[in-house]
Amino acid sequence: MRFSPILSSILYTFSNITRIRPPTPLSYTASIRPLPLRSMSGIPFLGALFGSSTSKPSKMSYPDQRGDDEWRAVLNKEQFRILREKGTEPPGSGKYDKHYPEEGVYTCAGCNTPLYTAKHKFSSGCGWPAYFDSIPGAVTRHEDRAWGMVRTEIVCSNCGGHLGHVFKGEGFDTPTNERHCVNSVSLNFSPEDKVVKGAGSESKA
């Protein structure tokens, strides 16, 4: 499913409108305060468009087994929210959305594992960095059935960090007819080619 940048921005804005806690006994009404949404999963429909079905990484085992406290020590708050809590950055806000180098590698912002090459990237107009494929073995896929929708979440195969989702059959003129819709916050970029030749094929767990 493809959304225009304008529609994506509108949906993201509405998904972050302040919500109020459920009614409480009268004696506690004076203490009720607005509860701001920390991610787009707070509103089911909009969360289904952008977020994932769970706020925690999959229970699948990954080589990098650092716990939350260890991740907080090396990630900033926004990186932790997206990589470890499966959040989503606002459309059009990422530094790699319109970043089109001729060479280089995009790596996981959490563990520095190479994920995508510059040659994988293409312009989709969706508001997030788009790639038609990944470095073999670097990205793991999980089925995401949140809110009655079937999507495919993608995570770093080394640390399980949330990258985004992959969409198929949208008609882009690419070799795979797939779009890896990835958060810029989940990535770093190196102009040097760090890809290890001979890696295995992409995991589709």
Side-chain angles (χ1 to χ4, degrees), residues 2 4 11 19 33 37 46 54 73 94 98 107-108 112-114 126 134 136-137 160 164 171 173 175 182 193:
R2 191 189 317 176
S4 68
L11 292 174
R19 59 185 169 126
R33 295 182 180 179
L37 289 175
L46 296 176
T54 176
K98 297 180 179 179
T107 61
C108 175
N112 297 316
T113 296
C126 69
S134 65
D173 186 19
V182 183
D193 187 351

Side-chain angles (χ1 to χ4, degrees), residues 66-84:
R66 278 178 280 186
D68 284 352
D69 289 341
E70 292 173 290
W71 283 118
R72 286 191 177 94
V74 297
L75 301 175
N76 61 40
K77 290 183 178 180
E78 185 68 352
Q79 288 174 326
F80 186 87
R81 183 182 74 84
I82 292 176
L83 281 165
R84 309 315 306 175

Side-chain angles (χ1 to χ4, degrees), residues 29-110:
T29 54
S31 63
I32 294 179
R33 295 182 180 179
L35 178 62
L37 289 175
R38 296 188 62 186
S39 71
M40 288 177 288
S41 60
I43 298 178
F45 176 69
L46 296 176
L49 294 179
F50 299 110
S52 293
S53 59
T54 176
S55 62
K56 292 294 183 181
S58 167
K59 293 182 179 179
M60 178 178 176
S61 179
Y62 298 97
D64 191 328
Q65 288 289 303
R66 278 178 280 186
D68 284 352
D69 289 341
E70 292 173 290
W71 283 118
R72 286 191 177 94
V74 297
L75 301 175
N76 61 40
K77 290 183 178 180
E78 185 68 352
Q79 288 174 326
F80 186 87
R81 183 182 74 84
I82 292 176
L83 281 165
R84 309 315 306 175
E85 297 182 331
K86 301 182 184 294
T88 304
E89 67 194 11
S93 67
K95 63 180 178 179
Y96 298 128
D97 179 25
K98 297 180 179 179
H99 183 246
Y100 300 105
E102 294 184 0
E103 297 180 346
V105 173
Y106 295 89
T107 61
C108 175

